[in-house]
Each structure stands twice: as C-alpha cells, then as structure tokens.
Amino acid sequence: MSSVSTKARSAISPTGSPNHNETADILSSALTRLEAAARHVSIDSDVLEKLRYPKETLSARLMIRMDDGSRRSFLAWRCRYDDTRGPTKGGIRYHPEASMDEVQTLAFWMMCKCAVTNLPYGGGKGAVRVDPHKLSKAELERLSRAYVHAFANMIGPDRDIPAPDVYTNAMIMGWMADEYSSLVGAPCPAVITGKPITLGGSLGRDDATSLGGYYVLNVLAKDLGLQGKQRVAIQGFGNAGWHIARLLHADGHKIVAISDSRGAIANPDGLDPAAVLEAKNRGGSVTAYAEGGKAKTIDPETLIATDCDILVPAALENTITSRNAGSVRARIILELANGPVTPSGDKILQDKKIIVLPDILANAGGVTVSYFEWVQNRQGYYWSLEEVQSKLRVIMEREGRLIWQISRDKDIDVRTAAYVVALERLAKAIEAHGTQNYFAA
Ligand code: NAD
C-alpha cells in the first residue's frame, strides 16, 4: 500500500463531458462550491485551509486469483478527507473509470453531506478501478476481501466506515465485514454499513437515499410550487433511480422518461416503474420495456431535455454541463446522484431560474440510515422500519427547511445554502480547537 500525493489528480471520463477543463479536476471544481459559501459566513481563515486538501489518501494494487488460474491486479483507493467531526464515512465504488481525483471528491462531498445532516462523521470514500460485470461471483468476492486486506489499517468502526456505492451492494458489504472481523479476531459489524439485514444491516437502508430526497421534495413542495401531479424524468435506474420512481409514481406523479447506461425510454402519458424494472431485469436495460410498444426509445443524451416538471439525475457525476444545461426544461432538479451538475452547468440553470435541490442534501438519506445502522450495531439493539423511517424523516425535513430558509434569507441558491450550513458546522468544530486569534492573543 502506498501513500499518494494529493496533488497528482487524474482525469475521469465523465458522461456528458463537454470539454476537458470543465470536468478534468473535479475536486478543484467541487471546492469552488465551498469557497462560494464562505462568502456568506464568518469563519476563521484556518478553516478553508484545513478543508482544501484531503487528510489522507492511500492507493493499493489488489492482486487476486482469477477463475482460470491467472493472477490479475486492480487499482484501488481509500480517502479520509476530514475527521474533525467524527470517524470518516463513505461508500466504495467499483467502476472501470474510477480515479483518485474522483475518490477524493466523493470523500469531500461526504464530509459536507454528514455536516448538512449533522451526523457525527467526517467524510471518506473508496473505489476499485474494475468493471464488476466482467468478474465471476467468486472473483468479485476475492476482490472485495482483498480490498479489506489492503485498507485494514485505514478503516475501522471508530476510524473510517465504508458502505456501498455504485456497483457495490449488500452482499459485498457482508463479505467485507466478514473479512475485517477475521482480521481483528471478533465480529465487528460496525466497521461497514449497508450489510444484509441478517448480518447486522438496518431495515430501511435499501431505499433510504431516495426516501430522503422524497421527504425533502415533499416538505418543500409548496415553496417549490409543486402542487398537484408532476411529470418526472429520471436519469439512471439503479438503486436511487428505481426507488424514487416507485415513490413518486405511488403518489400519482407521472414518470415520463427513464434512462440507464444502455438506453432511455419515454412516454408522456407515464411509465409504470415496476414494469420497467421487470423489463430491465429480463432484458438488461430499460429499453426492453419499449418492445411491447408501451414507450418509445429515445437517445439517452436527450433525457435531460425531457419536457417535465422534475428532473432526477440518479446516475453518475458531471451529466449536466455547460454543453447541455441550456436544454433542461424541468423547473426542479432533485440531485440523487453525487455531483451531477458542473459549476458551469449550475450557472446556466440559475440563469434559467431552475431550482436545484443539491446532492449533499437531496441524497443524504443514504448516509443517514447508514449512521442508524452503525448506531444499532454498536448498541446491539435493532429498530423497527417505522423507527428508522420516522427518524430519517425528522432529519431530512429539518435540514431541508433550514437550508431552504437560509437560501431565502440570504438570497442565494439552494446549493450554496447547503454549503453554508455544512461550512458553519465544520468551522465550529475546527475553531473549537483554537483559532489564529486565540493563539496570537
Ligand atoms: P446503481 O449502481 O444502483 O445504479 C446506477 C444506475 O445508473 C444504473 O442504472 C446505470 O445503468 C445507470 N447509469 C450509468 N451511467 C449512465 C448514463 N450515462 N446515463 C444513464 N444512466 C446511467 O447506483 P446507485 O446506488 O443508484 O447510485 C446512483 C448515484 O446516486 C451515484 O451518483 C451515487 O453516488 C449516488 N448515491 C447513491 C446512494 C445510495 O445509497 N445508493 C447514496 C448517495 C448517493
């Protein structure tokens, strides 16, 4: 395992990338949001200096035996961005285009998200550069166990607590918790969240991200002018995309377009999300639903330009950029994905008066229920689904209202208001150790 420089950042190859500069260094671009928020709060200069760089990032090469007897290695990272407010927390992503810059940025967002929800956590994240669809189930298990071996000294229930992210799931978290427990010689479920229920997972974790976004949308519906039935377009139909489609459809809203990595479908009269899921599971893509004539296939690139009221990006980062933000016709964007809008994309959306409910608020339900899982593991006492969901609702509605109010009071966009809340909480914790004024006095 080697320590890597925080300066050497590689480029990702994002979806919808307009040009290299807009998306190549996503951490610098993410930091601009914190700097924008800093103009609206009074904080010590030490604070931004501390939050500008990740605390530690480790890279490793995971070497595993493949089913055909050969050995292959995979590049992997874990980043602990900042732990002033508590142990770092954040998912592990398996993706063929994962990079260190992306991991550090996702860790930064986790730090902000945990502050927005006021959880006693800092931010962390991990990734393996791999296409998990090309591995057998046994190879995937060996890779997941190898990840824990490589980063065993970095993670821990009081230090850094991973969770699932894109293309990782509950079973993988179960393998990882098992591997960690065998390394420390005792069961240690609190080291990882998002585990299967029988291995210490929490009820309500699977749809927590979407449910959190749904609570925020509902509590602000009146302020957002969202009375009555709305038309919704969803980009990405995995965990986050499916559950938000299900929840909004159940309330009578019309899901008019859905995409995944292989294609997109649309029907202005509405799609049935459960039937779309069934078709995707059968045919490998949401486009299988169009075969019976119940929808037409559309170019996935045009999904964000769908004529609708609410657009939900629920795939990957950097999908709404300076190139395509001008084509958005929705009035509201609910960011379930992390970082789906670039800063230049944001500027265009603001000019068009489109309200963005930002990722660090809108998708924070996932980490909130992960926190509940960790609390339950440490207590050895497990809550009912109703308890989990009512506690989640309290947090999402409280922070959603607070952020909305700040955006109105300060006349700033909702994203900047969310960063104001995060920055104020981070600043209080950092300043509690003493500021320049305190020591120079
Ligand atoms: P997932 O792996 O379950 O699903 C991802 C979906 O996106 C898949 O349907 C995939 O086909 C689709 N996709 C990939 N590239 C696409 C493209 N170019 N266009 C359209 N669709 C595309 O992942 P998930 O857990 O649903 O996560 C989705 C996003 O939400 C990620 O940004 C993730 O970081 C974020 N998020 C997830 C959680 C969670 O608890 N699941 C929590 C917070 C944030």
Side-chain angles (χ1 to χ4, degrees), residues 306-354:
T306 301
D307 185 12
C308 63
D309 303 297
I310 305 171
L311 173 66
V312 186
L316 296 174
E317 52 269 25
N318 295 335
T319 54
I320 302 177
T321 63
S322 60
R323 184 176 57 96
N324 58 13
S327 70
V328 174
R329 290 155 86 187
R331 285 184 294 129
I332 309 293
I333 296 184
L334 179 72
E335 289 188 339
L336 290 189
N338 284 308
V341 182
T342 63
S344 349
D346 242 345
K347 174 87 186 57
I348 295 168
L349 297 176
Q350 275 166 31
D351 291 346
K352 288 174 62 118
K353 309 256 181 280
I354 295 169

Side-chain angles (χ1 to χ4, degrees), residues 15-16 93 95 106 110 113 125 164-168 205-206 208-210 235-242 259-263 280 300-301 313-317 319 336-339 363-367:
T15 52
R93 174 175 292 198
H95 198 277
L106 288 161
M110 284 305 297
K113 206 180 295 183
K125 203 79 183 188
D165 191 63
V166 174
Y167 299 149
T168 53
R205 176 62 187 86
D206 56 341
T209 300
S210 304
Q235 182 195 46
F237 201 55
N239 175 297
W242 148 244
S259 68
D260 61 22
S261 60
R262 295 186 184 175
K280 180 177 163 74
E301 291 279 311
L316 296 174
E317 52 269 25
T319 54
L336 290 189
N338 284 308
N363 73 28
V367 70

Side-chain angles (χ1 to χ4, degrees), residues 139-188:
E139 288 165 348
L140 199 59
E141 179 179 1
R142 289 195 283 275
L143 184 73
S144 304
R145 290 183 182 277
Y147 187 93
V148 172
H149 258 272
F151 296 101
N153 291 333
M154 190 155 181
I155 64 176
D158 295 311
R159 195 165 196 280
D160 177 43
I161 307 136
D165 191 63
V166 174
Y167 299 149
T168 53
N169 58 27
M171 184 175 262
I172 292 174
M173 296 305 110
W175 291 330
M176 289 184 164
D178 182 59
E179 193 63 25
Y180 188 81
S181 298
S182 63
L183 285 173
V184 297
C188 188

Side-chain angles (χ1 to χ4, degrees), residues 12-282:
I12 62 161
S13 170
T15 52
S17 171
N19 61 55
H20 189 73
N21 287 342
E22 191 174 336
T23 54
D25 187 346
I26 55 171
L27 180 55
S28 302
S29 149
L31 282 162
T32 61
R33 263 88 189 239
L34 204 62
E35 281 150 12
R39 291 196 275 276
H40 301 278
V41 287
S42 161
I43 51 167
D44 193 83
S45 57
D46 295 1
V47 173
L48 280 184
E49 176 62 13
K50 183 159 191 334
L51 298 180
R52 200 164 277 137
Y53 308 99
K55 183 182 169 92
E56 60 177 328
T57 308
L58 297 178
S59 73
R61 274 220 165 253
L62 311 181
M63 185 76 101
I64 63 162
R65 181 79 61 196
M66 306 301 279
D67 290 347
D68 67 359
S70 65
R71 301 233 294 165
R72 256 186 80 191
S73 72
F74 299 87
L75 202 47
W77 301 268
R78 186 78 197 160
C79 170
R80 297 177 68 241
Y81 199 95
D82 182 80
D83 62 355
T84 312
R85 298 183 76 255
T88 47
K89 178 95 193 79
I92 299 171
R93 174 175 292 198
Y94 287 177
H95 198 277
E97 289 169 7
S99 69
M100 188 177 74
D101 184 42
E102 182 186 48
V103 168
Q104 291 176 327
T105 309
L106 288 161
F108 166 81
W109 281 325
M110 284 305 297
M111 169 191 77
C112 297
K113 206 180 295 183
C114 292
V116 156
T117 36
N118 216 0
L119 305 179
Y121 284 144
K125 203 79 183 188
V128 181
R129 184 178 291 170
V130 61
D131 183 349
H133 303 113
K134 294 194 177 145
L135 299 187
S136 71
K137 289 172 182 155
E139 288 165 348
L140 199 59
E141 179 179 1
R142 289 195 283 275
L143 184 73
S144 304
R145 290 183 182 277
Y147 187 93
V148 172
H149 258 272
F151 296 101
N153 291 333
M154 190 155 181
I155 64 176
D158 295 311
R159 195 165 196 280
D160 177 43
I161 307 136
D165 191 63
V166 174
Y167 299 149
T168 53
N169 58 27
M171 184 175 262
I172 292 174
M173 296 305 110
W175 291 330
M176 289 184 164
D178 182 59
E179 193 63 25
Y180 188 81
S181 298
S182 63
L183 285 173
V184 297
C188 188
V191 68
I192 275 172
T193 60
K195 302 177 292 295
I197 305 290
T198 61
L199 298 177
S202 175
L203 293 173
R205 176 62 187 86
D206 56 341
D207 63 356
T209 300
S210 304
L211 193 59
Y214 170 82
Y215 288 147
V216 171
L217 200 60
N218 280 348
V219 80
L220 297 179
K222 206 166 152 220
D223 300 288
L224 296 169
L226 288 178
Q227 277 114 335
K229 304 303 174 206
Q230 307 298 324
R231 296 163 305 147
V232 185
I234 300 174
Q235 182 195 46
F237 201 55
N239 175 297
W242 148 244
H243 284 296
I244 195 70
R246 176 181 63 76
L247 290 162
L248 294 174
H249 181 258
D251 282 355
H253 302 299
K254 234 184 241 177
I255 312 300
V256 293
I258 298 179
S259 68
D260 61 22
S261 60
R262 295 186 184 175
I265 52 171
N267 184 346
D269 295 328
L271 302 161
D272 172 2
V276 175
L277 182 66
E278 197 270 318
K280 180 177 163 74
N281 289 341
R282 185 171 27 85

